[in-house]
Amino acid sequence: MTTHPRGVWVDPYVHLALIEYAWLKRTTMSDVLRSVLEYIVEHPDDDSYLAVPDRPGRKRFAAKTSDEQWEAAAAVALAHGVGFHSLIRRHIIKVLKEEGLIE
């Protein structure tokens, strides 16, 4: 299993909320990204996060992920007809909204 650093660009408010979320959950932002990828792969039919507006930005956070995990999640995004990074951001934004960390 080969791992590479992979990154996602988010807006500054999402980035700050993600830092707070990771702190509250006693985890790291990298673990959050890996968890999102895992969720996307394990629940490919869950499209509830597609209703969340995307918020791309200029703040980047990264994590080392396996090629298999990254490519499997990318295949789900392709099947939904949405950009892969957008899919990741939307999932993160949905979780942050549910936690009350962003509006």
Side-chain angles (χ1 to χ4, degrees):
M1 172 169 59
T2 305
T3 61
H4 297 285
R6 316 281 183 149
V8 177
W9 296 88
V10 296
D11 78 16
Y13 302 108
V14 171
H15 190 262
L16 289 173
L18 187 55
I19 291 169
E20 186 174 354
Y21 176 82
W23 182 82
L24 289 171
K25 299 297 182 180
R26 303 295 188 253
T27 190
T28 65
M29 292 170 57
S30 297
D31 284 338
V32 172
L33 178 57
R34 283 188 290 270
S35 294
V36 167
L37 294 173
E38 185 177 311
Y39 182 87
I40 290 170
V41 171
E42 290 178 358
H43 303 93
D45 296 329
D46 181 6
D47 60 357
S48 64
Y49 42 82
L50 294 178
V52 176
D54 190 11
R55 295 170 65 169
R58 299 184 58 132
K59 294 295 266 183
R60 184 176 188 263
F61 74 98
K64 284 188 175 182
T65 64
S66 70
D67 291 338
E68 294 82 11
Q69 185 181 39
W70 189 261
E71 291 166 7
V76 172
L78 182 63
H80 283 289
V82 66
F84 179 44
H85 289 220
S86 177
L87 186 70
I88 294 169
R89 279 192 301 268
R90 288 173 187 215
H91 185 80
I92 290 170
I93 291 166
K94 181 181 177 192
V95 170
L96 295 175
K97 283 184 176 188
E98 288 172 352
E99 293 288 325
L101 297 173
I102 59 172
E103 295 180 11

